[in-house]
Structure formats: structure tokens, C-alpha cells
């Protein structure tokens, strides 16, 4: 992977944004902010934090239940 990343960085320069799972897990808000900045999207830390909170699994499950009604079993959900 490092060889591929090195060649990609040499070829693409500033047009390459690499995410590491460990960093994303440790600092989700900061990494999402970095990706947004990479794409030229301005967002406050508070806005990114609100989006990350809204995308948490428990919130997604709640939204799914609101839109489709209660599931017949816990296994019926995609999540």
C-alpha cells in the first residue's frame, strides 16, 4: 500500500487525500473536517460534529424506524 500511496502522491500531489481508519476513529470530527476542506467545503467544527452525531448508528436506526415503522425483528434491519 505504501508504494501505491507514494506513486499516487507523486502523480497527484495535492489532489490526493488519504484517510487512515485509526485516525478517523480517533478524531472523526477532525478528519471529516479535513476531507471537507480537501474538497473546498467550508464547515464549522460544530456543523461537522452535528453531522457526525446525526450519522451515528443509533440515530440511523431511529430514523429508519420512523420512516418504515417498527421492524418485525431485530434481524430485519440493514443496520
Amino acid at each position: 500500500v505504501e508504494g501505491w500511496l507514494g506513486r499516487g502522491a507523486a502523480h497527484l500531489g495535492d489532489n490526493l487525500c488519504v484517510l487512515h481508519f485509526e485516525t478517523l476513529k480517533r478524531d472523526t470530527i477532525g478528519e471529516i473536517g479535513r476531507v471537507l476542506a480537501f474538497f473546498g467545503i467550508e464547515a464549522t467544527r460544530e456543523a461537522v460534529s452535528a453531522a457526525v452525531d446525526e450519522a451515528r448508528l443509533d440515530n440511523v436506526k431511529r430514523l429508519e424506524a420512523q420512516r418504515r415503522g417498527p421492524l418485525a425483528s431485530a434481524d430485519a434491519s440493514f443496520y
Side-chain angles (χ1 to χ4, degrees), residues 50-67:
V52 168
D53 284 342
E54 191 64 26
R56 293 195 190 284
L57 187 57
D58 57 335
N59 283 333
V60 173
K61 285 182 177 181
R62 178 183 49 79
L63 289 171
E64 180 182 274
Q66 287 175 349
R67 290 184 182 139

Side-chain angles (χ1 to χ4, degrees), residues 38-59:
F38 175 79
F39 285 108
I41 300 169
E42 293 183 23
T44 64
R45 187 166 179 86
E46 292 78 19
V48 174
S49 178
V52 168
D53 284 342
E54 191 64 26
R56 293 195 190 284
L57 187 57
D58 57 335
N59 283 333

